[in-house]
Amino acid sequence: MEMKKKGKAASSLLVGLGLLVMLGACSSKTTGGGATTAEGNKPAAKEGNVAAASDWAEKNGLNKTETTDELYAKAKGEGKVVVYSQSSRIKDVKATFEAKYPGVKVEAFNMSTNDIVEKVIREQGAGIYNADVIFVKDAIGAVTTELTTKKLVHKYIPKDLSDKMVEPYKSKSSGLVPYFSLRAIFYNTDVYKTSPITNWWDLTQPEWKGKVLLNDPIDSADMMDLFLAMVQHSDEMKQAYKDKFGKDIVLNGTENAAYEFIKQFLKNDPVLMKSSDEVVEAVGVSTQGKPPIGIGASSKLRDVIEKKLSIAATYDVKPKISVVGPSYLYVADKAPNVNAAKLMIRYMAGEADGKADGFKPFNVMGSWSTRIDNGRTDQPAIDKLSVWDYDSDYFYKNFVKFREFWLKMQ
């Protein structure tokens, strides 16, 4: 396995920068061409448009708690619900939802987070309101910055659901988060009884040269979020270095311990893969005497039994395991089937009793429910995870700087 060449990564960089510019341009159209911010390259939403969107949300009861029967009666009149989903598992939701609620068809579109953000901005900028439910992660803070702040999507968290949720998802979230996942360190259980990695700095050592597999953060927003969290908490990466080596870190042309870690990590020749599926399969079926370590989506643990993988994730890593990756449910602005949207969000969040089939496809090993009544018991409890919080504002403001550093170091 060889590391991807810089040319491909640079191409991805250009695509990403193009998307960023396009998002800004489309946002300007969406908001009526509002004035630019002090940063000079990010259009500010017109207050009038944001207020109008907020009025629409209030008039359509997004701040209310209605019963399932009330919503279903109205949803049958609408006839369908359109979902833009970041997960292919939405097909399972479609099947059970339509069986439970005859007369309400589900039109589900499975797309990447970037594609969802782009599509919503383009459509609403053109006055097209097609989507009802947006199911998405806040990749590098783009959803919060480009969608929620500008009221292209709306928060909907009924009280009978929020009463069962833990903080910060109970009252401090921009949307309903039914669960979150992580970027986890995977190891082969045929060779290792416990994880050989207990400190992120372990991955910079000669014994792991060319033996760490991960998604390229230039192509994977979730992977980039993990590195951005390290940069944000560089003081903790500094302490982790001292914990590992027994001495203070000496920076070699980098601005902090996190960037120094990334520099040394890249010098150790990690192998960049296209997907977490490739990562976990390569680690879990390896026949090498010393199999590789993988960094990938924790939710891939659901494949262990199905694909007969000899793999596990480690939950004891200094300074933190990872950064949380919340998955959000929103009602799209001016959703044409708003009652069906509310019904679907309740369904995917488990409903009031936490038992609705709509949550089952996501209640898998490596994902953590944000509720107190329907989480898994075969993995560490949500309050036992040593993780960094997701800071959308920091990630959005710093991802270009990180990306340039990553490409320069390759």
Side-chain angles (χ1 to χ4, degrees):
M1 290 177 288
E2 295 183 355
M3 194 171 182
K4 288 183 183 177
K5 299 301 181 182
K6 188 174 180 178
K8 184 180 185 303
S11 175
S12 296
L13 170 63
L14 293 175
V15 171
L17 287 176
L19 173 62
L20 182 63
V21 171
M22 181 181 64
L23 289 177
C26 291
S27 296
S28 179
K29 293 178 183 178
T30 301
T31 59
T36 58
T37 65
E39 294 177 50
N41 62 355
K42 202 163 53 175
K46 272 193 175 181
E47 292 183 3
N49 287 2
V50 171
S54 296
D55 287 344
W56 177 88
E58 184 175 353
K59 288 177 181 177
N60 283 275
L62 299 191
N63 58 345
K64 297 180 179 179
T65 299
E66 299 157 281
T67 68
T68 300
D69 289 342
E70 289 172 333
L71 291 174
Y72 180 37
K74 297 175 183 177
K76 282 190 290 185
E78 294 167 342
K80 69 175 182 178
V81 59
V82 179
V83 183
Y84 291 176
S85 170
Q86 48 119 11
S87 172
S88 61
R89 285 172 279 174
I90 192 65
K91 66 180 183 296
D92 300 316
V93 176
K94 169 181 168 64
T96 58
F97 182 91
E98 290 181 345
K100 184 175 179 62
Y101 298 111
V104 185
K105 294 295 182 181
V106 178
E107 293 183 8
F109 298 87
N110 178 30
M111 299 176 279
S112 70
T113 292
N114 281 349
D115 287 343
I116 291 173
V117 171
E118 176 190 348
K119 188 173 177 64
V120 170
I121 291 174
R122 280 188 180 277
E123 287 182 342
Q124 293 195 17
I128 299 170
Y129 296 91
N130 181 60
D132 298 307
V133 175
I134 305 298
F135 179 40
V136 70
K137 281 189 172 182
D138 194 3
I140 57 176
V143 172
T144 293
T145 304
E146 300 295 341
L147 299 187
T148 63
T149 301
K150 298 172 183 177
K151 300 296 183 182
L152 304 190
V153 297
H154 300 283
K155 177 178 181 177
Y156 173 64
I157 309 181
K159 189 176 185 302
D160 59 348
L161 301 188
S162 65
D163 283 347
K164 306 290 180 62
M165 300 174 73
V166 299
E167 294 291 5
Y169 311 104
K170 181 182 181 75
S171 64
K172 302 175 184 177
S173 178
S174 65
L176 196 154
V177 178
Y179 70 94
F180 67 78
S181 56
L182 311 169
R183 288 280 131 167
I185 296 177
F186 292 100
Y187 62 96
N188 185 293
T189 53
D190 284 341
V191 176
Y192 303 106
K193 291 184 178 179
T194 60
S195 176
I197 306 299
T198 59
N199 189 311
W200 279 101
W201 287 95
D202 291 341
L203 302 182
T204 66
Q205 296 304 287
E207 64 183 298
W208 297 109
K209 189 174 181 68
K211 285 185 169 292
V212 181
L213 317 180
L214 71 154
N215 306 144
D216 188 342
I218 301 303
D219 299 323
S220 168
D222 288 339
M223 195 70 241
M224 185 178 287
D225 286 342
L226 172 57
F227 286 120
L228 285 167
M230 291 180 179
V231 172
Q232 184 179 19
H233 300 279
S234 60
D235 55 334
E236 295 180 43
M237 293 298 291
K238 179 179 179 181
Q239 181 60 48
Y241 180 94
K242 189 170 185 177
D243 292 339
K244 166 87 180 156
F245 300 109
K247 59 183 180 181
D248 290 332
I249 191 171
V250 176
L251 302 180
N252 184 19
T254 55
E255 66 178 80
N256 59 48
Y259 276 118
E260 185 65 28
F261 165 77
I262 295 164
K263 179 180 180 179
Q264 293 187 28
F265 176 62
L266 285 172
K267 283 186 176 180
N268 219 25
D269 296 335
V271 180
L272 303 183
M273 312 289 278
K274 292 181 180 179
S275 69
S276 285
D277 292 289
E278 288 188 357
V279 170
V280 297
E281 289 178 20
V283 173
V285 302
S286 176
T287 58
Q288 298 179 36
K290 186 173 182 179
I293 292 295
I295 306 172
S298 58
S299 59
K300 294 302 176 182
L301 285 170
R302 70 182 185 271
D303 296 336
V304 170
I305 296 176
E306 180 181 338
K307 297 182 179 180
K308 299 180 180 179
L309 302 177
S310 299
I311 196 169
T314 179
Y315 298 111
D316 186 14
V317 186
K318 289 185 177 181
K320 291 286 193 295
I321 302 168
S322 188
V323 61
V324 297
S327 289
Y328 293 87
L329 287 164
Y330 296 103
V331 175
D333 188 39
K334 296 182 178 62
N337 308 296
V338 65
N339 294 292
K342 289 188 280 186
L343 187 66
M344 173 61 81
I345 287 177
R346 292 183 63 95
Y347 186 67
M348 291 179 68
E351 262 298 346
D353 61 3
K355 298 179 181 179
D357 288 341
F359 181 61
K360 289 181 179 178
F362 311 104
N363 196 16
V364 299
M365 180 79 79
S367 292
W368 282 264
S369 170
T370 60
R371 296 173 58 143
I372 60 175
D373 60 349
N374 65 357
R376 300 181 67 90
T377 58
D378 55 356
Q379 60 187 6
I382 189 172
D383 60 348
K384 302 298 182 183
L385 291 173
S386 177
V387 290
W388 287 302
D389 291 332
Y390 194 94
D391 190 332
S392 57
D393 185 58
Y394 181 89
F395 294 172
Y396 191 80
K397 289 179 178 177
N398 287 275
F399 84 90
V400 172
K401 178 182 178 181
F402 164 80
R403 183 164 50 186
E404 291 174 349
F405 180 85
W406 177 272
L407 291 170
K408 181 180 178 181
M409 289 297 105
Q410 287 188 29

